[in-house]
Amino acid sequence: MIRFESPLIEAVLIKRYKRFLADVELQNGDLLTVHCPNTGAMTNCAQPGWKVFLSKSANQKRKYAHTWEMAVNNNGHWIGINTNNANKIVKSALQQHKIQELAEYNQITPEYKVGDSRIDFFLQGDGMPDCYIEVKSMTLCEGSLGLFPDAVTQRGTTHANELAILAKAGHKAILIFCTQQSGITHFNIASHIDEKYAQAVSEAKKVGVEVICYNCNFSSDFIELAHSIPNSN
């Protein structure tokens, strides 16, 4: 579980633009430009008029003090906008042994260097094989189907290939999708959006990379990893 340091500020979304910016209207009617920490297309995640929740940084040097953390869509489903939170959510769940497939690991190293790059998490445990993990934040939802990616992701393809190399070397390698959209009940790879990424994940699975997906519980105070959800295949 991750808890926000101070109560989030409720507002209404006016628009998202230039990828990293959004304009919102506060409850008192004031207009505000906020930081949008999401590099994706944010399809079905940023409709004008939706309720949004903002955090405020104490860092006086920031140009935009507020960060867009979450939104609530017309169906009442929560959406985690801040992709940086996915790793924090998964780290907390690993520490609490809430991820069934990894519950026996007790040593967690974030941002572990492998060759010329870094893997999100490196796990070790007594009598357990070394485990390498990459985390992806999934927000694209069609009906109740979660999809990743929502835009072409060369970085994601690179990560899938790196996991495949680790699996071939005999290590345990896992790709975890953290579904930051409360309406998602099953998931799949969005091959119609990025065929190369879908192929990379498919090839990684063939050599032993495990692909798992967990949904989240949301509130205006916290986000926590909840339950494993199935692949739609």
Side-chain angles (χ1 to χ4, degrees), residues 44-55:
N44 300 334
C45 294
Q47 296 300 313
W50 282 3
K51 183 188 298 184
V52 297
F53 291 88
L54 318 170
S55 61

Side-chain angles (χ1 to χ4, degrees), residues 6 8 23 51 53 61 69:
S6 57
L8 297 184
D23 289 341
K51 183 188 298 184
F53 291 88
K61 296 182 179 180
E69 300 287 353

Side-chain angles (χ1 to χ4, degrees), residues 19 24 47 69 101 130 145 154 175 183 194 197-198 231-232:
R19 294 179 69 190
V24 303
Q47 296 300 313
E69 300 287 353
E101 297 86 348
D130 290 349
L145 174 64
Q154 178 57 50
L175 173 59
D194 191 339
Y197 178 74
N231 192 302
S232 64

Side-chain angles (χ1 to χ4, degrees), residues 82-91 135-137 178 180:
N82 190 341
T83 57
N84 298 321
N85 286 336
N87 280 37
K88 297 176 184 178
I89 295 164
V90 169
K91 181 181 179 181
V135 178
K136 299 299 179 188
S137 177
C178 175
Q180 290 203 75

